[in-house]
Amino acid sequence: MPTVSVKRDLLFRALDKEYTDEEFDELCFEFGLELDEITSEKDIILREQGDVKAEGASDVVLYKIDVPANRYDLLCLEGLVRGLQVFKEKIDAPHYRRVPASSGEPQRLIITEETVAVRPHAVAAVLRNITFTPERYESFIELQEKLHQNVCRKRTLVAIGTHDLDTLVGPFTYTAKPPGDILFRPLNQSREFTATELMSLYKTDSHLRHYLHIIEDEPVFPVIYDSNGVVLSMPPIINGDHSKISLNTKNVFIECTATDLTKAKIVLDMVVTMFSEYCEEPFTIEETEVVYPDGRTILYPELEYRTEILSGDLINTRVGISEDAESIARLLTRMCLRSEVQGDRIHVEIPPTRSDIIHACDIVEDAAIAYGFNNIVRTTPRTYTIGNQLPMNKLTELLRMDLAAAGFTEALTFALCSQEDIADKLGHNIAEMKAVHIANPKTAEFQVARTTLLPGLLKTVAANRKMPLPLKLFEISDVVLKDETKDVGARNNRRLCAVYYNKSPGFEVIHGLLDRVMQLLDVKPGKREGYHIQAADDATYFPGRCAEIFAHGMSIGHLGVLHPDIISRFELTMPCSALDVDIEPFL
Amino acid sequence: MADTGILESLLRHLEKVDDGVDSQAVAALLGVDHQVIVGAVKSLQAIGDVISAEQQTSKHWELTEEGAEIAAQGSHEARVFGAIPEDGLPQSELMKLPSGKVGFSKAMSNKWIRVDKAHEGGPRVFKMVESINDLVREKLLRVQQGKSQLEEKEKNELKKRKLLTEVTVKSYWIGKGSSFSTTITKQETELTSEMIASGSWREKKFKPYNFESMGVAPDCGHLHPLMKVRTQFRQIFLEMGFTEMPTNNFIESSFWNFDSLFQPQQHPARDQHDTFFLSDPALAYEFPQEYLERVKTIHSQGGYGSQGYKYDWKLEEAQKNILRTHTTAVSARMLYKLAQQEQFTPVRYFSIDRVFRNETLDATHLAEFHQIEGVVADYGLTLGDLMGVLHQFFTKLGITKLRFKPAYNPYTEPSMEVFSYHEGLKKWVEVGNSGVFRPEMLLPMGLPEGVSVIAWGLSLERPTMIKYGINNIRELVGHKVNLQMVYDSPLCRLDS
């Protein structure tokens, strides 16, 4: 969930109201935001870097506000204020308009064929006669960063470049070239670099190095030129220094290059709808013509308004309220969804800022938010059902109780572990096991899903060596085994494992536990229909002290005294016997 | 129990005195060691109020081992003096005597003896006086017999010579108790079968139990606290008429875990940093084909009244096997299955099982945890119904003060975070997440249009940590668990 940090006083001035922290917190809660933290720049530096660095830092109060991940229109002060003011019915939601260039000739962005291989989409727009102040400027930069981190998926899907249009001469060309052929002075550098040089320069840049991988291995890099060959940007890495915007910039050229056109359009719409507020004619955005390699031309920003038509009934029945159509229309209008009743239907206008509204259910939610979640009467569904336990879990629950009654204590161990835990340490070869392997473990603890509960129990014993002996532990839980008959190629297997750790091996104790478990499962001793054990060889167990367990003629597991090597590998010092059985055959 | 003879002697003596007696005095009187009397006092105290005894301490001087030897045999110097015949003794022989060295120098400084160094045959020692007065012995004898006191200076000098030592004695001032009697009945420790058979228990007195001490811990096994809480949650769901879902499949395809839930393929949750992907078996191959096509369409083009996400949906992405990130993957399978029924029937489902996240670990986050999930599917369920069900569910957990915050989930709309008022923290804390499944998830499955599905989830670990006052999740889950905590954990009753 993105967090937006805004200056409290600036926010209240824009909202034209002073709130107490509690009141503002309440407002956030009602609207679906969360006032996560009240802090200041000074506090943040103090916490992260110590009091020396914090000296002289600003102690202006900052509100850190958590914004839902799909509400890109609330990622800056401008958007938050607009959303809340409309919600409080202090202002009407603005209508955003794409307008022709005053000169009559729109700016043009020509996309060449070469981009198809690396980053095929681009959209652009112009903010004409904008007035920046230091706060607005900061917010403008900050919004781009928030969009980059969220909807742009760290610039992989979309990258935004903003430029001082007055330093450039259109038309602009979006193309792709081999990195050695791209030469320009990047933002905040004093000389020109080739793209190849830049990639190594930014390897150590704490911010930019995270984006290099996006194009690093491509034969050609995306680049945008003006008609004089000035580089605007090399997306998604860096802009050129030539066209960088400043507080004095009057006309802003905005380009978004992308691998996902839908997202590019959303991002461009967000940037221009938020900041066109500061244009001479607020909420108007000058069109830009994008020319495709095939000659098609499209005007951007799209700023699409869409109308959804639905009945008040739909909202009433989905939310559980009974409001008339007029008041529902008013609720929706408060959520920036301008609505009016026509006949028995509500016409809902979805503005370009609300890309999150993709279905009627999204409109239902907005109506519910405006109504107030906590004003909705809590009702009991009349659904009649009868509860049932999953037979496997029912059996597990019953067995757990009786194993505890038999003097064994329940452990709860991890389902993920290292290869070593299930193979080497137990004397087995990982290559011969039906283990499921994890592709991206951060540490060795998460290399595989366990194939047996035994290592977890032995590690539990090792962590509790100071406890009085004997230690008698059990666990009934799932292991994971590869199984080609399943759609995903693997299945869980419910197993029962127990260990007895004491000064003497206590085979008879663990054997007695097996007898007790079989008694509980109503399986009698016997070779054919019942259960029996017979000598077996298994590297986990001490030779001659291991038996395989058979029930209903089927092998279900092993019991025995652990091999001294196994005991040592788990950092244990006493003899230990173990029981490990599959309980699924007893369902 | 001390010897009955001593007990009775002590009691008979006590009978004669009015205001009590010191235990040391009794020991001296009866001619026994003081410790014997102390033992007798303790035995009598255990019987009841036969006697009263108050501990007191006193100090007195006592002879050391060497002091006692001197009191018996004379001082070293006296013994040296006594060993010298009239015609003297060679010094070398005198030094061989047990008291030789110490006695010689003392006798010399007392001027009792002299050495003739020039004597032929080596230095020879002669008496200088006819007789001596062995004062050291006399003083020690006086201390030993407890007669007249020595002066402070004398005592210190003897102490310096390690002949005297000051000892602290703990003794009792013994008096008659409220049930004083000179005869004692032997107390029985336990009732026996013989006593029951013979009826002799009627005449016996029984030693009182010490009710202050702890009992002996029963020899038993214990259930794990997290599993005890799981049992309670299962119970609650079953009481509410919910049926348990088969969540025994930790491995899930991205298709069921994400795509079927209308979670787009570029969603950050599908990132390597958040989810465990598998290298073996890396991909899933079997999907319900028609349904898969409908999922592809809803993502890439929309439909069922939805705009969709309008991106290039890839089968390869959906095929990727993962460790499931939520049990909602199973809910999706169950709802798909429900949709394949000839006729829809309302259901209530629940599950409590493990889910996995490839996240950064800390004191409250592990790579695996248990998710509790509830799902209700029926015609015409409302957001108010979801709130009502949540209210019933949380009431069973002892949480009655709830409120709801609008939230965002990729697969529910509306979505609500559930907050409860924490009396201890005096603030609202998040206790769960909930919502109404999106039509883009339900309609491609084939569920009828009017059917709504409401659902909620929470973790099992968090309420357990709060319930059992555990701050570090590793002390609760995994092999580093403290077994003593498991042994000691009380019953789990969530509503009390």
Side-chain angles (χ1 to χ4, degrees):
Chain A
M1 193 185 285
T3 304
V4 180
S5 161
V6 294
K7 294 189 173 117
R8 182 191 62 186
D9 295 349
L10 220 55
L11 176 71
F12 288 173
R13 204 182 318 147
L15 289 173
D16 198 21
K17 183 173 168 160
E18 291 282 325
Y19 290 87
T20 64
D21 291 341
E22 289 73 27
E23 285 167 351
F24 190 72
D25 183 51
E26 275 302 307
L27 176 61
C28 283
F29 194 94
E30 196 186 346
F31 193 58
L33 303 170
E34 196 169 333
L35 179 54
D36 185 49
E37 201 187 350
I38 301 165
T39 180
S40 72
E41 230 162 83
K42 194 171 188 171
D43 277 350
I44 296 169
I45 299 175
L46 201 63
R47 199 172 49 213
E48 291 170 358
Q49 302 174 34
D51 46 2
V52 180
K53 297 251 177 155
E55 217 166 295
S58 157
D59 45 18
V60 169
V61 178
L62 292 179
Y63 274 177
K64 291 199 153 189
I65 301 170
D66 282 348
V67 174
N70 62 342
R71 290 298 300 272
Y72 316 124
D73 60 318
L74 303 176
L75 288 176
C76 60
L77 176 79
E78 289 73 15
L80 273 173
V81 168
R82 217 174 287 165
L84 289 171
Q85 291 292 73
V86 173
F87 184 63
K88 295 301 247 179
E89 296 183 301
K90 298 250 185 76
I91 59 167
D92 288 333
H95 192 83
Y96 309 99
R97 282 187 304 130
R98 185 175 70 208
V99 295
S102 48
S103 66
E105 273 296 301
Q107 293 293 337
R108 292 167 76 211
L109 175 64
I110 301 155
I111 304 178
T112 74
E113 195 88 63
E114 289 78 8
T115 60
V116 172
V118 49
R119 202 171 178 85
H121 307 291
V123 294
V126 173
L127 288 175
R128 190 62 80 176
N129 293 320
I130 194 166
T131 308
F132 280 123
T133 63
E135 286 85 14
R136 293 171 184 181
Y137 182 82
E138 200 184 315
S139 178
F140 188 59
I141 303 295
E142 196 53 35
L143 172 65
Q144 292 173 52
E145 181 54 23
K146 289 277 182 265
L147 290 168
H148 274 152
Q149 291 311 312
N150 293 285
V151 57
C152 304
R153 298 276 170 267
K154 303 196 166 102
R155 303 194 189 176
T156 54
L157 300 184
V158 188
I160 312 162
T162 55
H163 310 277
D164 187 336
L165 183 57
D166 298 328
T167 65
L168 300 165
V169 182
F172 305 100
T173 306
Y174 174 44
T175 186
K177 284 185 169 186
D181 297 351
I182 301 172
L183 182 73
F184 69 106
R185 184 153 68 95
L187 207 56
N188 304 326
Q189 293 289 342
S190 49
R191 68 166 179 95
E192 292 191 328
F193 290 81
T194 65
T196 317
E197 289 172 326
L198 282 179
M199 294 305 269
S200 62
L201 177 70
Y202 293 144
K203 276 267 181 300
T204 53
D205 186 297
S206 63
H207 179 58
L208 295 177
R209 67 190 161 99
H210 302 294
Y211 307 116
L212 303 182
H213 73 96
I214 305 171
I215 55 167
E216 204 163 34
D217 299 328
E218 302 289 344
V220 290
F221 286 6
V223 60
I224 304 177
Y225 292 99
D226 83 345
S227 62
N228 293 328
V230 172
V231 170
L232 277 72
S233 64
M234 185 179 83
I237 312 295
I238 190 81
N239 288 349
D241 196 67
H242 178 90
S243 59
K244 76 172 172 205
I245 62 164
S246 72
L247 274 176
N248 301 319
T249 298
K250 297 308 292 177
N251 300 298
V252 185
F253 179 69
I254 302 157
E255 39 87 4
C256 299
T257 56
T259 55
D260 180 323
L261 181 61
T262 312
K263 292 278 195 295
K265 291 194 260 186
I266 290 171
V267 169
L268 183 66
D269 280 354
M270 288 303 157
V271 175
V272 298
T273 53
M274 292 301 117
F275 282 87
S276 56
E277 182 175 349
Y278 303 130
C279 289
E280 199 170 56
E281 197 181 332
F283 308 117
T284 63
I285 299 98
E286 184 179 306
E287 65 193 13
T288 295
E289 189 178 78
V290 173
V291 184
Y292 285 83
D294 61 6
R296 269 183 313 133
T297 64
I298 298 182
L299 288 175
Y300 287 108
E302 202 166 58
L303 296 180
E304 187 202 40
Y305 279 83
R306 178 177 100 238
T307 302
E308 296 272 355
I309 300 166
L310 42 81
S311 68
D313 239 22
L314 175 86
I315 288 176
N316 282 328
T317 55
R318 291 294 156 96
V319 179
I321 52 177
S322 45
E323 294 290 299
D324 60 37
E326 285 296 341
S327 69
I328 288 172
R330 194 173 153 196
L331 292 174
L332 291 172
T333 302
R334 281 175 54 206
M335 300 303 289
C336 291
L337 305 176
R338 218 192 298 251
S339 303
E340 53 185 48
V341 181
Q342 292 183 16
D344 60 347
R345 311 289 275 178
I346 304 171
H347 288 236
V348 186
E349 183 188 65
I350 317 297
T353 45
R354 293 302 305 275
S355 60
D356 59 298
I357 307 275
I358 57 175
H359 189 276
C361 68
D362 298 302
I363 299 171
V364 170
E365 179 179 68
D366 271 20
I369 293 173
Y371 184 85
F373 273 15
N374 295 296
N375 297 326
I376 298 168
V377 177
R378 299 172 189 183
T379 46
T380 305
R382 282 173 302 174
T383 309
Y384 177 79
T385 55
I386 288 174
N388 282 307
Q389 305 186 49
L390 190 71
M392 172 85 74
N393 292 355
K394 183 175 185 176
L395 175 65
T396 302
E397 286 285 292
L398 292 169
L399 273 178
R400 285 175 54 242
M401 303 282 179
D402 268 307
L403 282 175
F408 281 71
T409 290
E410 187 174 32
L412 176 70
T413 66
F414 296 128
L416 305 184
C417 59
S418 67
Q419 288 186 12
E420 197 190 15
D421 283 340
I422 53 166
D424 314 26
K425 281 168 102 175
L426 290 182
H428 294 305
N429 180 357
I430 189 76
E432 291 160 16
M433 303 177 73
K434 293 194 281 181
V436 160
H437 291 254
I438 295 168
N440 56 332
K442 282 180 185 148
T443 68
E445 293 167 88
F446 312 117
Q447 287 174 326
V448 291
R450 64 183 173 199
T451 52
T452 159
L453 303 174
L454 185 58
L457 288 187
L458 294 177
K459 288 200 270 184
T460 307
V461 173
N464 286 279
R465 278 175 308 193
K466 61 181 190 305
M467 296 293 291
L469 294 173
L471 283 175
K472 295 151 87 175
L473 301 179
F474 82 95
E475 184 171 13
I476 306 180
S477 189
D478 285 350
V479 303
V480 182
L481 305 171
K482 280 205 286 183
D483 181 346
E484 282 176 7
T485 66
K486 298 288 169 183
D487 59 347
V488 296
R491 69 179 164 90
N492 281 22
N493 177 214
R494 184 74 42 97
R495 299 194 72 91
L496 182 165
C497 189
V499 294
Y500 176 81
Y501 181 73
N502 201 359
K503 288 179 184 128
S504 61
F507 178 82
E508 67 289 354
V509 177
I510 219 79
H511 189 189
L513 184 69
L514 171 69
D515 294 335
R516 173 65 183 145
V517 168
M518 290 300 146
Q519 195 174 46
L520 290 167
L521 293 169
D522 200 18
V523 181
K524 308 266 184 301
K527 293 240 167 183
R528 283 183 148 207
E529 287 309 300
Y531 77 98
H532 72 277
I533 65 175
Q534 79 187 35
D537 275 334
D538 186 309
T540 304
Y541 299 90
F542 200 33
R545 297 277 186 277
C546 171
E548 191 170 0
I549 307 160
F550 293 86
H552 307 311
M554 189 168 33
S555 170
I556 58 160
H558 286 88
L559 84 166
V561 177
L562 293 185
H563 195 289
D565 284 345
I566 309 299
I567 291 173
S568 307
R569 281 180 210 144
F570 283 94
E571 289 162 25
L572 299 175
T573 52
M574 304 271 174
C576 183
S577 52
L579 165 70
D580 182 3
V581 290
D582 182 356
I583 62 164
E584 292 187 15
F586 305 103
L587 269 183
Chain B
M1 165 93 40
D3 176 8
T4 317
I6 291 291
L7 298 185
E8 285 177 350
S9 308
L10 172 61
L11 292 172
R12 276 196 301 276
H13 180 68
L14 206 53
E15 193 184 15
K16 291 178 240 158
V17 296
D18 289 332
D19 55 349
V21 62
D22 181 76
S23 56
Q24 274 185 296
V26 179
L29 191 83
L30 298 178
V32 295
D33 191 81
H34 182 233
Q35 281 311 311
V36 174
I37 300 299
V38 172
V41 166
K42 289 194 172 150
S43 298
L44 290 169
Q45 277 179 314
I47 299 174
D49 294 325
V50 180
I51 58 162
S52 70
E54 223 172 286
Q55 205 172 42
Q56 52 187 19
T57 55
S58 65
K59 284 182 176 175
H60 72 266
W61 291 89
E62 205 169 72
L63 271 55
T64 63
E65 205 178 317
E66 194 183 352
E69 187 192 313
I70 287 171
Q73 301 177 19
S75 65
H76 298 296
E77 56 270 32
R79 277 184 264 170
V80 163
F81 181 82
I84 300 172
E86 281 308 311
D87 55 347
L89 195 68
Q91 189 178 6
S92 55
E93 254 174 68
L94 184 132
M95 284 306 176
K96 285 179 195 154
L97 296 171
S99 301
K101 276 183 189 158
V102 194
F104 173 75
S105 56
K106 271 279 167 196
M108 283 292 285
S109 70
N110 284 354
K111 293 203 174 11
W112 290 351
I113 57 173
R114 67 177 172 88
V115 186
D116 179 1
K117 289 192 176 160
H119 199 278
E120 128 196 23
R124 203 173 176 89
V125 187
F126 294 94
K127 284 185 183 172
M128 275 178 78
V129 292
E130 278 299 307
S131 64
I132 53 159
N133 190 3
D134 190 356
L135 278 175
V136 173
R137 183 185 185 192
E138 262 176 43
K139 286 176 195 164
L140 290 175
L141 281 170
R142 265 157 62 197
V143 173
Q144 197 174 40
Q145 289 155 7
K147 288 183 186 162
S148 61
Q149 291 292 310
L150 297 180
E151 281 179 28
E152 218 42 47
K153 196 179 143 200
E154 292 171 316
K155 280 192 274 197
N156 285 334
E157 194 197 317
L158 290 171
K159 189 181 168 190
K160 227 170 166 180
R161 283 185 70 175
K162 298 203 169 85
L163 302 177
L164 267 191
T165 173
E166 190 170 29
V167 294
T168 307
V169 177
K170 289 199 164 118
S171 62
Y172 288 95
W173 185 257
I174 312 166
K176 295 184 187 113
S178 55
S179 49
F180 181 80
S181 146
T182 52
T183 54
I184 45 167
T185 328
K186 183 166 175 277
Q187 287 186 310
E188 298 294 339
T189 44
E190 292 300 354
L191 187 63
T192 65
S193 58
E194 288 83 359
M195 294 176 197
I196 296 168
S198 65
S200 67
W201 59 269
R202 290 175 214 279
E203 280 77 48
K204 306 266 185 201
K205 277 205 170 177
F206 290 86
K207 195 178 172 189
Y209 279 164
N210 176 10
F211 294 118
E212 300 295 319
S213 68
M214 299 291 282
V216 176
D219 188 14
C220 61
H222 308 264
L223 294 173
H224 191 282
L226 191 80
M227 296 294 98
K228 292 202 262 198
V229 179
R230 184 180 73 175
T231 301
Q232 289 312 303
F233 273 101
R234 283 183 91 241
Q235 184 71 32
I236 288 170
F237 277 115
L238 292 167
E239 284 166 8
M240 290 175 71
F242 283 65
T243 287
E244 196 166 25
M245 292 189 276
T247 46
N248 52 336
N249 59 326
F250 295 165
I251 308 304
E252 191 54 276
S253 61
S254 293
F255 178 77
W256 287 107
N257 195 82
F258 297 121
D259 296 285
S260 71
L261 297 172
F262 196 51
Q263 198 152 348
Q265 295 188 329
Q266 318 89 335
H267 194 276
R270 304 179 70 154
D271 200 279
Q272 297 274 331
H273 297 296
D274 289 301
T275 298
F276 287 113
F277 288 85
L278 296 193
S279 57
D280 182 24
L283 301 176
Y285 294 97
E286 252 177 77
F287 303 99
Q289 271 311 316
E290 285 175 32
Y291 171 51
L292 180 126
E293 285 304 322
R294 291 195 294 267
V295 169
K296 177 181 178 170
T297 308
I298 191 86
H299 278 249
S300 52
Q301 297 164 34
Y304 305 101
S306 174
Q307 301 290 309
Y309 292 124
K310 298 181 180 143
Y311 70 96
D312 186 14
W313 187 89
K314 295 193 177 75
L315 175 63
E316 306 85 84
E317 225 17 82
Q319 277 186 293
K320 287 183 181 168
N321 274 335
I322 59 166
L323 279 155
R324 68 167 174 232
T325 63
H326 48 198
T327 51
T328 318
V330 177
S331 309
R333 283 179 182 267
M334 293 300 284
L335 290 169
Y336 171 74
K337 206 170 140 194
L338 177 67
Q340 308 319 301
Q341 280 181 193
E342 207 140 294
Q343 204 182 349
F344 172 84
T345 47
V347 295
R348 293 181 200 234
Y349 290 139
F350 83 95
S351 65
I352 310 169
D353 212 334
R354 294 183 199 233
V355 298
F356 305 84
R357 307 270 169 96
N358 194 9
E359 283 175 358
T360 313
L361 313 179
D362 60 31
T364 52
H365 292 89
L366 290 171
E368 52 188 276
F369 64 94
H370 290 73
Q371 183 188 339
I372 301 169
E373 179 163 349
V375 178
V376 185
D378 199 356
Y379 282 101
L381 293 175
T382 67
L383 196 58
D385 287 336
L386 173 56
M387 292 174 176
V389 172
L390 284 167
H391 180 75
Q392 292 173 334
F393 177 77
F394 280 96
T395 299
K396 281 179 172 285
L397 303 180
I399 295 172
T400 50
K401 240 172 147 178
L402 285 188
R403 66 173 190 166
F404 303 96
K405 177 174 143 331
Y408 170 67
N409 265 320
Y411 46 88
T412 56
E413 189 82 8
S415 308
M416 314 188 296
E417 280 168 6
V418 188
F419 282 72
S420 88
Y421 191 74
H422 193 290
E423 296 293 347
L425 298 172
K426 296 269 175 258
K427 66 172 189 178
W428 292 89
V429 293
E430 195 191 331
V431 292
N433 216 327
S434 67
V436 183
F437 282 135
R438 293 191 70 98
E440 292 99 325
M441 166 183 164
L442 304 178
L443 296 175
M445 289 176 171
L447 285 168
E449 184 103 31
V451 168
S452 292
V453 182
I454 56 179
W456 74 98
L458 58 154
S459 93
L460 176 64
E461 280 78 357
R462 198 153 160 254
T464 306
M465 287 171 79
I466 294 169
K467 176 91 198 160
Y468 287 102
I470 295 164
N471 293 321
N472 185 345
I473 195 161
R474 280 170 188 74
E475 284 170 27
L476 176 69
V477 183
H479 56 266
K480 287 183 183 149
V481 66
N482 173 359
L483 282 179
Q484 193 62 50
M485 179 277 292
V486 176
Y487 292 172
D488 296 344
S489 73
L491 292 178
C492 174
R493 281 171 296 175
L494 291 170
D495 55 353
S496 65

